[in-house]
């Protein structure tokens, strides 16, 4: 049987666990995993042990020294891809995506990072794995050639879509 802890109890638990690890002399603390717990531990005013949090902060605020985050989600990958495209001097972006919740979240994070960094609105294309839809995608990419493209599709979709981009730099997540 699964039960959820009240929020205050859960926050107390992460603080107790973190302090116990520090008191035991842990050289590196791996965790927490839950975003609320990451925020709690990152906000500690105490001298922190070397910490690798297994999630990221929602607002990407500055974290204390010795505190590292490992983004394991679509949001972090999407933001990293947008920054990489900017570093690679891309300006005109195409986004090919599916309507799955995970890919919608990835595209939302990508577009937010891209536009907040000064990029224009990307050209958006829905991925449909039919010959007719792929031919239409190819025509659109020839009509409006992008500098770079984000493939927000699963592995099989990426395999099908990639040939339609020719030599265009194409980025995807390992999700």
């Amino acid at each position: 049987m699964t039960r959820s802890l009240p929020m205050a109890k859960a926050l107390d638990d992460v603080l107790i666990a973190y302090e116990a690890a520090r008191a035991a002399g842990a050289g590196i603390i791996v965790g927490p995993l839950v975003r609320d717990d990451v925020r709690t531990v990152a906000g500690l005013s105490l001298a922190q042990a070397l910490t690798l949090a297994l999630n990221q902060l929602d607002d990407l605020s500055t974290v204390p020294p010795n505190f590292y985050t490992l983004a394991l989600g679509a949001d972090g990958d999407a933001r990293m891809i947008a920054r990489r495209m900017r570093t690679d001097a891309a300006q005109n972006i195409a986004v090919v995506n599916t309507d799955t919740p995970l890919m919608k979240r990835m595209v939302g994070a990508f577009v937010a990072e891209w536009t907040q960094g000064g990029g224009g609105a990307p050209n958006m294309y829905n991925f449909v794995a039919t010959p007719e839809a792929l031919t239409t995608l190819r025509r659109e990419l020839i009509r409006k050639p992008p500098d770079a493209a984000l493939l927000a599709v699963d592995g099989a979709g990426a395999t099908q879509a990639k040939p339609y981009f020719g030599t265009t730099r194409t980025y995807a997540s390992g999700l």
Side-chain angles (χ1 to χ4, degrees):
M1 181 165 119
T2 306
R3 66 184 181 94
S4 61
L5 296 171
M7 184 61 84
K9 175 75 170 121
L11 292 178
D12 287 346
D13 288 348
V14 74
L15 292 174
I16 291 167
Y18 189 83
E19 286 303 317
R22 283 187 55 221
I28 299 174
I29 298 173
V30 178
L33 177 63
V34 178
R35 282 188 186 192
D36 287 342
D37 293 348
V38 172
R39 187 179 320 106
T40 299
V41 172
L44 290 175
S45 60
L46 307 169
Q48 294 197 341
L50 181 59
T51 303
L52 175 60
L54 299 177
N55 210 324
Q56 63 196 22
L57 297 170
D58 292 324
D59 60 4
L60 297 177
S61 60
T62 305
V63 295
N66 292 332
F67 191 92
Y68 299 90
T69 60
L70 179 63
L72 300 175
D75 308 64
D77 281 355
R79 286 190 292 271
M80 180 189 68
I81 290 169
R83 289 188 296 265
R84 178 58 193 240
M85 284 184 180
R86 198 172 303 111
T87 299
D88 291 345
Q91 294 179 11
N92 180 27
I93 304 298
V95 174
V96 176
N97 64 298
T98 60
D99 287 333
T100 65
L102 180 62
M103 292 304 147
K104 284 181 180 180
R105 194 170 114 209
M106 181 178 181
V107 168
F110 172 84
V111 170
E113 179 74 23
W114 180 254
T115 56
Q116 286 172 2
N123 295 316
M124 305 294 285
Y125 303 98
N126 249 346
F127 177 77
V128 179
T130 65
E132 299 81 23
L134 292 170
T135 299
T136 300
L137 174 64
R138 175 178 284 161
R139 272 192 233 123
E140 283 297 310
L141 293 171
I142 290 170
R143 190 171 72 79
K144 298 182 204 173
D147 298 323
L150 169 66
L151 291 180
V153 298
D154 64 14
T159 300
Q160 288 179 297
K162 178 61 177 120
Y164 294 89
F165 286 91
T167 59
T168 300
R169 287 176 293 177
T170 307
Y171 302 77
S173 173
L175 297 172

